[in-house]
Amino acid sequence: MSAIAHSPLSTSSHFSLAVGGPVIVASDGSAVSHEALFNAGRLVSSALGGALEVIGVCEPIPGVAAGMDVLPVPAELDESRRAAMLDDLRRTVSIAAAGDLQWPITVVIGSPPRTIAAEAEQRGAAMIVMGIGRHNPLDRLFGTETTLSTLRESHVPVLAVGPHFPAAPSRAVVGLDFSLASIQAAHLAMRLLGPGGHLTLVHVRPRFEHPSADWQSWDADYGRTLPPLFDQVVSQLDVPAGLTVDTVTVRGDPAPALLAYAQQVNAELIAVGTQRHSLFERLVVGSVATRVLRTARVGVLAVPGQGEH
C-alpha cells in the first residue's frame, strides 16, 4: 500500500466488488480465539454471499544437516502432522459451526502465507479471514506476521481479527487516499457493519512543522479538492438505509493518525487499501497496512488494488 496520498487522486466509478466467492478461514485449530475467528468468517459469508471454507496449512519439517549432506524428513512425519491438524480443525469447527451446515475443511502441507493466498485465488475466494496473534509466540496461523506475509502474497482481501472482534461491528473507519483499493475497502467495510452501523472515511493530510508560503498555498488548494472527492466516493457507496457514513480529514503520519482516530471513536474495524507498484512495495506491502496490522487492537481489513500486482 502506498502511504495515504499527499495529493488527492481521481476516483473511478467503474470497479467491481468481489462477492459470491467462498470465504476462506485460515486456522490451525489450536488458537484460543477461534470463536472470534469463525464468527468473523460467518459475518463475511453472510455479507458477501459466499460459502465458508476452512483451510489449515502445515509447514513442512526442514531437512536435517548431517555433515555435508541434508537428510530428508520422512514423508510420514509431515503426513502425521497434517492428520493431527485436520483432527484439531474438525474438533474446533464442530464447536464453532454449531447449528450451521458443515464447513468443508482442507489441510495441506506448504508455506502457510503462500499456500493460503494460492488456495484463495484458485478457489475464487471473496475474502480470507485470519487471526492477529499478539502475545503468544507459539501462535502459528493465528499470528500477525503470518497474516502480513499472506497479505504480501494475496490478490484477495484479507480480514485479520483478534479475540474480541464482534459478531457484527457497529463502527468502522477507512483510510481513504482516493485510490481504487481504498474505495473498495470502504465498500467491503460497509458490507460488514451491523444494523445501524457507522462508517467514517478518514483522509490523512500531511503536516509540516515549518511550512513555507508556497506550501501553504498548495495546502489550501489541496483542501479545496477534498470535499468533491469525498462526495464522489460517498455517492459510489450506495449507502443502505440505517447506516451512517461521514468523512473526516486529519493531519499527521498516515498510520498513527488513522490508528489514533479509530481509537478515539472506538472503532471495531479499520479498513485500508494496499498498492503494489514495484518489487520493493510488493515485499513490504506498504508502511500504512503493515503498521496498522502490527499495531491495531481491533479488526483490520486490507484490500489489495486490482491490477497492481
Side-chain angles (χ1 to χ4, degrees):
M1 176 180 177
S2 61
I4 291 180
H6 284 183
S7 61
L9 304 179
S10 296
T11 57
S12 169
S13 59
H14 303 291
F15 60 89
S16 59
L17 186 63
V19 294
V23 176
I24 304 298
V25 174
S27 172
D28 59 18
S30 64
V32 295
S33 303
H34 62 264
E35 183 177 355
L37 184 68
F38 286 107
N39 281 341
R42 276 195 192 90
L43 170 67
V44 177
S45 175
S46 174
L48 302 185
L52 194 152
E53 301 178 7
V54 181
I55 292 180
V57 182
C58 192
E59 197 156 11
I61 301 172
V64 179
M68 299 295 291
D69 298 321
V70 176
L71 300 179
V73 174
E76 293 81 5
L77 288 180
D78 280 334
E79 177 53 32
S80 67
R81 292 168 62 244
R82 189 196 73 82
M85 183 182 287
L86 182 59
D87 286 342
D88 288 343
L89 275 171
R90 283 173 175 161
R91 282 192 293 270
T92 299
V93 169
S94 70
I95 298 170
D100 290 351
L101 296 174
Q102 183 62 47
W103 301 333
I105 305 169
T106 304
V107 176
V108 296
I109 295 172
S111 162
R114 190 170 301 123
T115 303
I116 293 167
E119 288 283 339
E121 186 166 4
Q122 190 173 42
R123 299 176 189 212
M127 192 175 292
I128 301 168
V129 181
M130 301 183 68
I132 303 178
R134 300 276 182 217
H135 307 296
N136 183 359
L138 299 180
D139 280 341
R140 288 172 286 175
L141 288 185
F142 210 85
T144 305
E145 294 307 312
T146 300
T147 301
L148 267 173
S149 297
T150 302
L151 180 58
R152 295 184 181 109
E153 300 284 344
S154 180
H155 292 232
V156 174
V158 174
L159 173 63
V161 300
H164 305 297
F165 188 74
S170 61
R171 188 71 190 255
V173 301
V174 180
L176 186 70
D177 62 3
F178 303 104
S179 66
L180 179 59
S182 70
I183 298 171
Q184 291 172 323
H187 274 263
L188 284 172
M190 185 179 69
R191 298 285 288 265
L192 299 183
L193 286 174
H198 191 147
L199 181 74
T200 301
L201 309 179
V202 181
H203 181 70
V204 183
R205 294 178 65 172
R207 173 190 290 140
F208 291 91
E209 296 300 326
H210 305 288
S212 65
D214 287 343
W215 183 88
Q216 291 178 356
S217 175
W218 172 86
D219 187 58
D221 289 339
Y222 180 105
R224 284 189 287 271
T225 67
L226 289 175
L229 283 173
F230 272 132
D231 290 344
Q232 188 176 351
V233 172
V234 172
S235 70
Q236 293 173 9
L237 290 178
D238 192 21
V239 181
L243 290 187
T244 300
V245 174
D246 61 4
T247 64
V248 169
T249 301
V250 298
R251 289 189 183 269
D253 188 29
L258 182 60
L259 287 162
Y261 183 82
Q263 183 176 14
Q264 177 185 332
V265 299
N266 296 317
E268 298 147 316
L269 177 66
I270 301 173
V272 293
T274 67
Q275 310 293 323
R276 293 180 178 90
H277 300 295
S278 68
L279 175 61
F280 176 76
E281 286 178 334
R282 179 176 174 81
L283 292 174
V284 302
V285 174
S287 62
V288 176
T290 299
R291 292 171 73 181
V292 168
L293 267 169
R294 284 185 173 151
T295 308
R297 293 298 187 268
V298 298
V300 177
L301 172 63
V303 179
Q306 294 182 354
E308 295 168 346
H309 297 266

